[in-house]
Amino acid sequence: MEQQQQVGDLYLLGALRLRGIEPVRAGGDGHRTTWVFDENDALRTVVDEYYGRRLSLDALTYAEAIRSGKGEAMQLRGGVS
């Protein structure tokens, strides 16, 4: 079975999506949403670049990806609280 990584950081989620890495599923406990990704070299590279502050993304596209992830998290949470 392939290993998976959970991501709860909207900013990292946005970066991964902009690099073409999509989660296999998302879920939450009513308070916090997490996205699950299959562990692979592409995922590790983006995560390393993100935390190493070497990742470069278009600012407006990145902001939209973050907003999209936030909206998704709100839906999974059951609305705005």
Side-chain angles (χ1 to χ4, degrees):
M1 185 170 140
E2 194 170 340
Q3 290 196 0
Q4 297 182 321
Q5 180 172 337
Q6 290 188 13
V7 172
D9 180 335
L10 288 173
Y11 298 95
L12 177 55
L13 172 69
L16 289 166
R17 284 186 161 162
L18 287 182
R19 287 297 175 96
I21 303 169
E22 289 293 329
V24 293
R25 69 178 176 279
D29 62 6
H31 298 287
R32 184 169 171 84
T33 301
T34 56
W35 290 265
V36 179
F37 292 83
D38 285 334
E39 186 82 34
N40 57 45
D41 289 339
L43 175 78
R44 283 187 289 277
T45 297
V46 174
V47 170
D48 288 347
E49 288 176 354
Y50 176 82
Y51 286 114
R53 297 179 183 212
R54 297 182 310 276
L55 187 64
S56 180
L57 301 166
D58 175 73
L60 292 176
T61 308
Y62 182 49
E64 179 54 38
I66 294 166
R67 279 192 296 275
S68 176
K70 184 176 180 181
E72 187 178 338
M74 296 292 231
Q75 281 186 316
L76 289 169
R77 239 174 72 180
V80 180
S81 55

